[in-house]
Amino acid sequence: MKTTTVAIVGASGYSGQELVRLLLRHPQVALTCFTSRQYAGKAVGDVFPRFRGLTDAKFVEPDPDKLNADAVFLALPHGVAAEFAKPLLAKGVKVLDLSADFRLRSAAVYKEFYEHEHPAPELLAQAVYGLPELYRAQIKRAQLIACPGCYPTSVLLGVAPALKHGLIKPASIVASSMSGVSGAGRKAAEDFLFCECNESARAYGIPKHRHLSEIEQEISVMAGQPVVINFIPHLIPLNRGIETTIVADLAAPAGDVLALYRDFYKGEPFVRVTSALPDTKNVAMSNYCDVSVRVDPRTQRLLVSSVIDNLTKGAAGQALQCFNLVCGYDETLGLLA
Amino acid sequence: MKTTTVAIVGASGYSGQELVRLLLRHPQVALTCFTSRQYAGKAVGDVFPRFRGLTDAKFVEPDPDKLNADAVFLALPHGVAAEFAKPLLAKGVKVLDLSADFRLRSAAVYKEFYEHEHPAPELLAQAVYGLPELYRAQIKRAQLIACPGCYPTSVLLGVAPALKHGLIKPASIVASSMSGVSGAGRKAAEDFLFCECNESARAYGIPKHRHLSEIEQEISVMAGQPVVINFIPHLIPLNRGIETTIVADLAAPAGDVLALYRDFYKGEPFVRVTSALPDTKNVAMSNYCDVSVRVDPRTQRLLVSSVIDNLTKGAAGQALQCFNLVCGYDETLGLLA
Amino acid sequence: MKTTTVAIVGASGYSGQELVRLLLRHPQVALTCFTSRQYAGKAVGDVFPRFRGLTDAKFVEPDPDKLNADAVFLALPHGVAAEFAKPLLAKGVKVLDLSADFRLRSAAVYKEFYEHEHPAPELLAQAVYGLPELYRAQIKRAQLIACPGCYPTSVLLGVAPALKHGLIKPASIVASSMSGVSGAGRKAAEDFLFCECNESARAYGIPKHRHLSEIEQEISVMAGQPVVINFIPHLIPLNRGIETTIVADLAAPAGDVLALYRDFYKGEPFVRVTSALPDTKNVAMSNYCDVSVRVDPRTQRLLVSSVIDNLTKGAAGQALQCFNLVCGYDETLGLLA
Amino acid sequence: MKTTTVAIVGASGYSGQELVRLLLRHPQVALTCFTSRQYAGKAVGDVFPRFRGLTDAKFVEPDPDKLNADAVFLALPHGVAAEFAKPLLAKGVKVLDLSADFRLRSAAVYKEFYEHEHPAPELLAQAVYGLPELYRAQIKRAQLIACPGCYPTSVLLGVAPALKHGLIKPASIVASSMSGVSGAGRKAAEDFLFCECNESARAYGIPKHRHLSEIEQEISVMAGQPVVINFIPHLIPLNRGIETTIVADLAAPAGDVLALYRDFYKGEPFVRVTSALPDTKNVAMSNYCDVSVRVDPRTQRLLVSSVIDNLTKGAAGQALQCFNLVCGYDETLGLLA
């Protein structure tokens, strides 16, 4: 099988580092470039000692004109990513964007949630939402993949079977998530110091967290109608992991919902439907999403719990899963174990 | 002011230790007895070195006939507590029970949720639910106080203003909580080992956690009608703390809900209504409950977040607050700072 | 008993917040001023919600000319503290300095370890090292107290009995400490982000950490000769707490060393000598130092383990203990429980 | 390359689970058997959901007569392991024992430290201490590998270059380690509950921890004379990781010690000598040992810091490294990334 040359742009944040970890062990990838404005000129293994011995590469300044790779992963802030994607797409490079820039179909919704004009609205039509469980066929033939946010991945995989089977009332959905602190990114800010996060748990960003925009977009697609819902994120003292609990009113008599979920995800390599309620520790550093469901006969509601590693299935791992699809590799290559 | 003699029965669990911590520094309490079957004969300060220097007492076997105290705090498992309370009540002792035995007005509901017959149904009528913000007047003249569970305290203080003002539809309530591991008690079990809980987050006990019974009972009282709701507890890697997020459909146009909450809790010594969303770390080792609210105009729902320390306001601190009321002390004595 | 008016200069760092916590509950203190450059004009309870309801004060700009208090606690960076102390001392105010500025008797050693000229060498002679267990008499009559560093407190209380009895060879001392992350202060820096410190343990600052200077100064005083030793700090994922392990060659046959330590600290209100090895959790949020000792007959060495809360006995609590001594209050006032 | 059939005996403890994780992804291993008395009959993926999807195997009762494998990893308690090894060795099976049973050359020392008779002293002569950096040649031709303890691995790799070059005085060595809680094993005991370990740090097991026996044995071999030292373990709130700090008196003028260490470990696939002090997080879930050194010119001592993951290089990873050597595979197979 042929090797694909790959560049990581923005390799020093937490998602970027996770890309480095996964791509270094991918058997068909030749990593040609790691960019970091902050660390340009330094060895990757000096800045991040966990990679010492695994690569001799140095960080370079990000420069789209100098990138020479078949595929590029962008782990950049929103707004910046789109600017970077433009010249790469023009050169025919495959782009896997981990930012929010290409996730929304509507530039207006983007502006509403991200509070600036979309930097490249002309590209939105060609972008594919990189959730393989919902868009596998489109991903395979895409050039520009908009990798989903971490929260949306956990919410959408949790509701998809129920929504697609008409089992729940879409507008009744309430999704509540708890995220590890790596979700806040690797930026020096008092709020994310160890002593501020340890022994701390709190809700934030309600009622209109940015990720709500893509959650509602995809729920609306599945529901076949515009839907607004509630999404409530919380910060908890973990490094990695998201647990999402979804509650929704049943729209129809619930039969064996666990069987329905198992059937929906049959053959999916990275979704495990379990009878026991899932735990983030079981998906840490893996690309799995574990899901379980309960029906409450007293309230006639469906309860779903899903867990992912926010940096793997919620970011870099899912991007790599999409990369495998785009390049024609086995979807799980480099992602199991 | 006169001193009250006090015994702690079951002083070696986490709630029991918190009672020891708080009662040792209460200026009007003379602690006459600490019982522990496991540690009888050992010095409290040898078993729990944090108390060394603060007390010279030894644990004794629990024996209701030998307890000599004006007031007794019971930190025992449900079922056991009621048996203990009976002779104490007969002797005229004031009983502050931290177990679930006297929280439910109905022995049938108790049996449904706790899966055994109620051990003393004849005492239920005289028990007062020890949530001072809702039952202060009754607590003052009670002999038997049923101290609320930790989750119910956080849920009920979160919904009370909205429910009592008819602002939300009772049956639409969904309460989702995250608790520190001390909530599971101090019992040797693999599930609560450090390595099983650290870097782990998970839902559990749905859809019918035992605390749901008292939550629904008190919500039904406030709503003036029988109500069933959803309550979803989660375990997260904290020692202490509960955050509860409540979502409910608005029943009426929401005005200034924050002002309404502030007004409702005006004068309450232990509820702080804040504009910022609360954080468990700000109530750790204190008897405060911090609450904030948001209205989502898109979904017409009310969102409430409340936090407590599960061992203090959620257990021992609230019991002491009730004790102060029962004994005629200032309600905050020994509980501020 | 008369009240003392007190100002806290630099009340927004971790030591500053701990001063606020302790001073707010001190029965003879009237807090007249909290300074913070960063938060001037904001309510203390808005910036640090844990203090909401306990004080209505606002932070003000630090200005020595406007401070009106009998005693001032300085929780400022080294270098800055000395400048602040000068005018206060001139006005007759009692100064409790938590910085390193007045801990060293030699301006030359200060320059060697802190890498700038001492800002007020003329004041060094009048400063008293605020470790009550060693300097109680001098503290009582001092105007300027140099509160010891957190690491030095744990090391010096660990070695004092052995050194003063000539039990160990001073130059053989190796002290190894593990500290919680609050010891690094509340500054936004990538190294102290939650995800960088959680699941991480590392040595740092060897062989010449700044605290070594005061450790060696005081060990030399006790040994009656100049001594250099090794001190090895480590950072571990705790909020609060320091454990220090000391190893030294025996200089004389060891008898009952535990009894010797107990005797040495007999009557000390804040040192607890225990037969079991101490644990940081037992001194968290308290002013205690717990110490235990072992003799290794195979190597003829003494092993000592001591633990403190770095923010309490290691900073604010010890400063308050000194304050009590200086003001003639009971030494434990506001510090027990 | 030919596949090797492998059994894991005692697959449900923390070392056992780490063996499962590593062996499942080893390209030349066919796992034929996972034993667990506790879970016999249950699917591995049901008991440990992290392995769901990676194996369909079930746990079976451990029975040496029914084990059918070319190589067997024993992750059993000491005492039990030796009994299990006997019949396997007799059948010609290669045995990688993770217990302490075959680490000591002297049955008398074993009895002194483990407090029972050695169960198979006749096998001690053929056992090889499985530290590849010291015994690679012997491991390659061994049938019985005694995999080193976690603490000894970190201590011995830290001192080996200095000792072998006569740079330090052997009897002056003091090794102080901090370990994550997984080192205590997966047993239900109050001491290792989350709330007892979180926000806790403490020394334990001094002066004569069991691992001291193998540390002294191997240091004595390197020093060419019997040596007793001090080893001081500490428990800190990590899941995985050991940091060991070693202090020793210089025996000779120290030149460029870092270069000496780099030279000593040149070509070693799993030891990384770094100029920066190492951090456990950089070796988590990897087989690396990171080491750095400092010379203190004031005290003429050498300071070494080494870090490993106690479950990987400290247990299962090192066992697999030995397995690769024994089987003639590349030493790093299945262990990088």
Side-chain angles (χ1 to χ4, degrees), chain C residues 188-246:
Chain C
E190 281 172 1
D191 273 0
F192 304 112
L193 290 176
F194 181 83
C195 295
E196 302 300 321
C197 294
N198 188 38
E199 289 295 296
S200 158
R202 58 183 174 91
Y204 72 98
I206 54 173
K208 219 173 153 185
H209 187 278
R210 284 171 169 172
H211 281 183
L212 179 59
S213 55
E214 51 181 299
I215 294 171
E216 287 182 345
Q217 168 181 286
E218 296 302 319
I219 285 180
S220 297
V221 169
M222 286 189 271
Q225 57 176 292
V227 180
V228 293
I229 67 147
N230 280 104
F231 165 61
I232 307 165
H234 300 77
L235 194 71
I236 61 171
L238 300 179
N239 277 4
R240 289 163 165 252
I242 286 178
E243 191 278 346
T244 291
T245 300
I246 298 149

Side-chain angles (χ1 to χ4, degrees), chain A residues 49-50 52 198-199 272, chain D residues 49-50 52 198-199 272:
Chain A
R50 62 169 56 86
R52 189 181 284 253
N198 189 36
E199 290 294 296
R272 300 186 293 200
Chain D
R50 63 171 53 88
R52 190 180 285 252
N198 188 37
E199 289 295 293
R272 300 185 293 198

